[in-house]
Amino acid sequence: MRILVLGSTGFLGGHVVDHLRTLPGVRVFGAGRSEAAEFDLDLAGDSVKRLAKTLEAAAPDVVINCAGATGGDPVTLAEVNSRGAAALCAAMGLAAPVARLIHLGSAAEYGPGVPDAPVTESAPTCPLSPYGATKLAATLTVIASGLDAVVLRVGNPVGARAPLAGLPGRIAALLRAASDDRGAVLPLGDLSAYRDFVDARDVARAAGLAVTAEGPLPPVLNIGGGQAVPVRRLVHRLAELAGFRGRIEESSDGSARSAAVSWQCSDISLAGSALGWRPVHSLDASLADLWAATAPHGVSTQGKEGDSAP
C-alpha cells in the first residue's frame, strides 16, 4: 500500500509518518515544501493541474492531509486550509479518484462547548476564529467531494515537537528558557479555560486505523482525549516537569478566543465504534515527552525531579 502524507514534516504529520512506517506492507511518501519530502507540493499555491501531476507520480492508495496553517492572517489561513483542501480534492478527483483521503480537521470547528456535555460529530458548528472557520470550510469541502474520505476532527494535540504556535509548545519553550532561575516570572493570560488534549501519537494511530478500515467511514470522527482538562493544570504540570522554581503570573487579559470558548470536550465514542480507537497516552505522558524533546541535543533529562510521568 502506498500512502502519501501531506505536511509530513510538520508536528502531526511527523508523528503520522513515524507511526505509518511501523505498519507492515506500507510505503510512506512525504509531500510538502520541505527538502525532506519526497514530493514537492504546495496546497496553497499549486494549481489543481500541478497537484494532479504530483498525485499521478506518487500513485497513492491513501492520501493523508496533515498540512495546514494554525496562525497568520485570515487570508493566509484561507489559502492554506480552505483553498488547499479544495484544490487537493479536485486534484484527487482527476488523478487518484479511488484513493482514500484522510483529512485532519480541528475541534475549533465546533466553537464554544457546553460544560459537561461532550460534543458529538452531529453537533452544530459555530467557529469563532478565522482558523476554525477555514478548517470548517475544508471539512465541508472534503465531505462534499465524492471521494472515499474521512475527516479526523482533532482536539488540542500535545507531544514531542509541539510547535511554538500552540500553548503547550510555547509554555515548554518558556520554561526551558527560564532554566533554574528562581527569580523567573512567566506572565501568562487567563488559564481558566478547559480543553480536550490528545497525544499526537494517538492522533497518528487514529490515522493509521483509518488507512486500513474496510468500507466507507463516517464523514467526520472526533479524535480527542475525551475529557475537558483545565489549561491551568497543563501549565502547572509542565512547570513541575521542568523543576521550575520561579513564579507563574496569571492575568485576566488573554486571547479573545479563549475567553469566548471557555470549555471544549469531544465525544469520541464514534471513533471507537468505527475504528476501534481510543486514546492510550495520558496527558502526563504527553507532557513528559514534550518536555524531554525540548532538551538541548545530547542533554539527558532523566533523573530530574518530575521528568517522569506517574
Side-chain angles (χ1 to χ4, degrees):
M1 178 182 290
R2 296 171 64 88
I3 304 177
L4 184 66
V5 180
L6 281 60
S8 57
T9 59
F11 171 41
L12 289 178
H15 282 279
V16 168
V17 168
D18 289 346
H19 174 71
L20 292 176
R21 285 180 173 157
T22 69
L23 303 181
V26 165
R27 292 190 64 188
V28 183
F29 303 91
R33 291 175 292 178
S34 167
E35 293 182 358
E38 288 90 343
F39 292 93
D40 180 25
L41 182 149
D42 180 6
L43 286 183
D46 288 351
S47 67
V48 171
K49 184 177 180 179
R50 188 178 190 283
L51 289 173
K53 287 184 176 180
T54 302
L55 289 172
E56 286 178 353
D61 298 295
V62 179
V63 175
I64 304 180
N65 184 21
C66 302
T70 58
D73 62 87
V75 173
T76 298
L77 290 168
E79 288 175 343
V80 177
N81 297 337
S82 305
R83 187 270 180 193
L88 174 62
C89 289
M92 287 186 65
L94 294 173
V98 298
R100 171 167 287 179
L101 171 59
I102 300 167
H103 174 81
L104 298 193
S106 170
E109 298 169 36
Y110 288 121
V114 177
D116 301 320
V119 64
T120 66
E121 291 85 350
S122 61
T125 49
C126 186
L128 298 184
S129 66
Y131 170 70
T134 57
K135 292 296 288 185
L136 177 58
T139 289
L140 295 175
T141 300
V142 170
I143 291 173
S145 67
L147 299 167
D148 174 13
V150 60
V151 176
L152 304 183
R153 197 169 261 165
V154 179
N156 290 65
V158 187
R161 308 189 299 273
L164 296 178
L167 177 72
R170 180 168 64 89
I171 297 300
L174 290 172
L175 289 168
R176 184 64 71 182
S179 189
D180 295 327
D181 183 1
R182 293 179 179 272
V185 176
L186 263 62
L188 303 175
D190 183 7
L191 302 176
S192 63
Y194 285 69
R195 292 289 180 266
D196 188 337
F197 296 103
V198 59
D199 193 286
R201 292 166 296 182
D202 284 324
V203 176
R205 193 165 47 83
L209 289 169
V211 165
T212 57
E214 295 184 2
L217 290 167
V220 178
L221 292 172
N222 286 337
I223 303 298
Q227 58 181 329
V229 177
V231 173
R232 186 178 293 114
R233 174 186 159 192
L234 176 142
V235 171
H236 284 270
R237 180 57 180 147
L238 261 178
E240 291 175 5
L241 289 167
F244 181 62
R245 295 175 173 81
R247 188 171 73 256
I248 296 173
E249 288 189 350
E250 195 174 335
S251 168
S252 59
D253 297 329
S255 75
R257 177 180 176 274
S258 292
V261 185
S262 61
W263 198 91
Q264 277 188 331
C265 182
S266 294
D267 183 323
I268 57 175
S269 57
L270 186 57
S273 59
L275 299 178
W277 176 90
R278 61 180 297 275
V280 297
H281 295 92
S282 69
L283 179 58
D284 277 357
S286 306
L287 295 176
D289 283 354
L290 167 59
W291 178 247
T294 65
H297 182 67
V299 177
S300 173
T301 60
Q302 297 298 315
K304 292 182 66 176
E305 182 180 358
D307 277 345
S308 296

